Amino acid sequence: MSEPSNPLDGVRKLVQRRLPEAGDSPIEWFGAGLENEVFLVGGDLVVRIRKEPDPLLRATAVRHESALLAIVGRISPVPVPEPVFTDPAAGALAYRLLPGVPLREYPVDGSARLAAPLAGLLDRLHAVPIAEVRNLVPVDNEPLTVWLADTADDYRDVAARLDGRQRRAVEDFLARTPPARPDTLTLCHNDLGAEHLLVDPDTGMLTGVIDWSDASIADPAYDLALILRDLGPQVYHAVLEGYSHPFDDTHRERAAFYARCALLEDLAHGVRTGERRYLDANLALMNRTFEPGPEGLGK
C-alpha cells in the first residue's frame, strides 16, 4: 500500500497551477478549524482548504464564500480577506495574510478602542440587503428552545470541569425559559469570536476580521453576543453605543442567552477534543459570562 500523500505537496501543486510565480515559495501548515485546514505560502499567502468531503458541496461553499467576501469587502470599514484565487474543485480559497494577531492570543484590557471599528462593521454588515446574499449564505434561525436543549447536552460533558458555584449558575440558566425568537434577521458573520478578530499587538487596534465561512442570515444579536462573551461588557456596551440598528431589551436578552450557550458549546468542544485552547480560554470566561447582572438572565 502506498504512503498517503503529504498535504503540503497538494498545496504546492495547487499554487503552482493557480499562482505560478509563488509556486516555489516555502509552505507551512498554519492551523485548522472545524471546516478548514490552513497553509501559509511564502510567508504572506494564506491558502484555506475546505474539509468538506462532498466535492459538490465543497466547490459550492468556496464559490459562495468568495462572492460573499467581495460584497463584504466593499462595505466593511475593517480589512477582510480579499481572494487572490479560488479553486472550487480543490475546495481552496487563497488571500494575502492580513496584519495583526488573533485577539484570542492578545490580552486586551477591555479598552473601547475596538468598539468603534466593530460597531462600524456590524452597522454596515447588518444593513446588507438580504436579497444580495440569499443565494450565498444559509438561514440560521433555530428555535431558542433547541439552543437550550443543545446547551444542556454540552453542559453534561463539561460539568466536571466546573466548580460548585459555576454549576449552580449554569443549572439555573438551563432551568429558565429561553427568549423568544427574533422577528428580524440580517446578514451576520455568525462566528465573531476573538479568534477571528485580528489586532495590532503594539496598539491593540483592530486590523482585520477573518473566517467568513459561517456567515448566515441570522439574528444580529448573535454577532453582539460573541463580543459580549469574548471581549466583555465594557466593549459590548461601547459597540452598542455606535450601533445604529434597533437593539432593545429583547435583543440584549438574546445576546446574553447566546453568549452563554456559545461559551458552553466551545467548552464542550474543548473537552471532547482535548484542545487546551478551547478549554482554557472558555473556562477563564465562565464567571464573567454567567454572573447575574444587567445583561444576564440570572438577575
Side-chain angles (χ1 to χ4, degrees):
M1 181 181 295
S2 62
E3 291 293 324
S5 61
N6 184 336
L8 297 183
D9 292 339
V11 174
R12 182 170 301 285
K13 291 177 181 177
L14 172 67
V15 174
Q16 288 173 339
R17 186 170 70 249
R18 301 307 304 267
L19 198 67
E21 62 269 29
D24 294 326
S25 301
I27 300 175
E28 59 184 297
W29 186 82
F30 200 51
L34 297 178
E35 297 178 336
N36 299 285
E37 192 162 15
V38 188
F39 302 86
L40 188 63
V41 180
D44 74 339
L45 181 70
V46 176
V47 178
R48 280 183 34 220
I49 308 293
R50 283 266 179 175
K51 295 180 178 180
E52 170 59 56
D54 184 295
L56 180 59
L57 293 178
R58 185 172 63 234
T60 299
V62 169
R63 291 191 186 97
H64 286 180
E65 185 174 2
S66 179
L68 176 68
L69 286 172
I71 293 171
V72 174
R74 288 196 297 269
I75 58 99
S76 175
V78 180
V80 300
E82 182 178 345
V84 173
F85 71 79
T86 63
D87 191 315
L93 185 150
Y95 60 89
R96 295 297 174 190
L97 184 68
L98 295 177
V101 297
L103 183 56
R104 180 79 75 193
E105 301 171 10
Y106 178 74
V108 297
D109 59 4
S111 168
R113 286 174 297 176
L114 299 171
L118 284 172
L121 170 67
L122 294 181
D123 226 30
R124 298 183 188 184
L125 184 67
H126 295 169
V128 171
I130 296 300
E132 287 189 24
V133 296
R134 192 183 304 278
N135 295 326
L136 301 179
V137 298
V139 174
D140 183 1
N141 189 29
E142 283 191 315
L144 273 67
T145 51
V146 174
W147 280 74
L148 197 64
D150 290 343
T151 302
D153 290 339
D154 292 333
Y155 173 60
R156 283 190 280 273
D157 286 345
V158 307
R161 305 294 182 115
L162 307 180
D163 62 33
R165 177 187 173 193
Q166 291 167 338
R167 289 195 295 271
R168 288 190 294 274
V170 174
E171 288 164 10
D172 178 67
F173 169 68
L174 294 173
R176 293 174 178 268
T177 301
R181 292 171 78 169
D183 55 12
T184 300
L185 304 180
T186 67
L187 175 62
C188 295
H189 181 284
N190 220 34
D191 197 10
L192 202 61
E195 68 273 21
H196 298 145
L197 302 176
L198 302 181
V199 294
D200 182 324
D202 295 322
T203 66
M205 299 299 290
L206 191 67
T207 60
V209 177
I210 59 173
D211 197 349
W212 291 78
S213 56
D214 286 324
S216 302
I217 297 168
D219 184 355
Y222 187 71
D223 278 344
L224 274 298
L226 295 191
I227 293 173
L228 174 61
R229 180 194 68 179
D230 288 357
L231 278 65
Q234 181 180 352
V235 176
Y236 168 74
H237 286 298
V239 170
L240 286 179
E241 287 179 6
Y243 182 74
S244 67
H245 299 287
F247 209 84
D248 60 18
D249 287 346
T250 63
H251 292 85
R252 293 171 186 268
E253 184 183 21
R254 290 199 310 276
F257 175 86
Y258 292 136
R260 293 174 173 185
C261 292
L263 176 58
L264 288 169
E265 180 182 22
D266 275 8
L267 186 56
H269 177 76
V271 169
R272 292 162 187 156
T273 63
E275 292 189 51
R276 293 299 312 180
R277 64 191 178 107
Y278 283 95
L279 283 171
D280 296 343
N282 289 287
L283 282 172
L285 299 175
M286 276 295 304
N287 291 340
R288 184 180 75 188
T289 305
F290 277 87
E291 68 182 3
E295 296 305 332
L297 302 181
K299 293 183 287 185

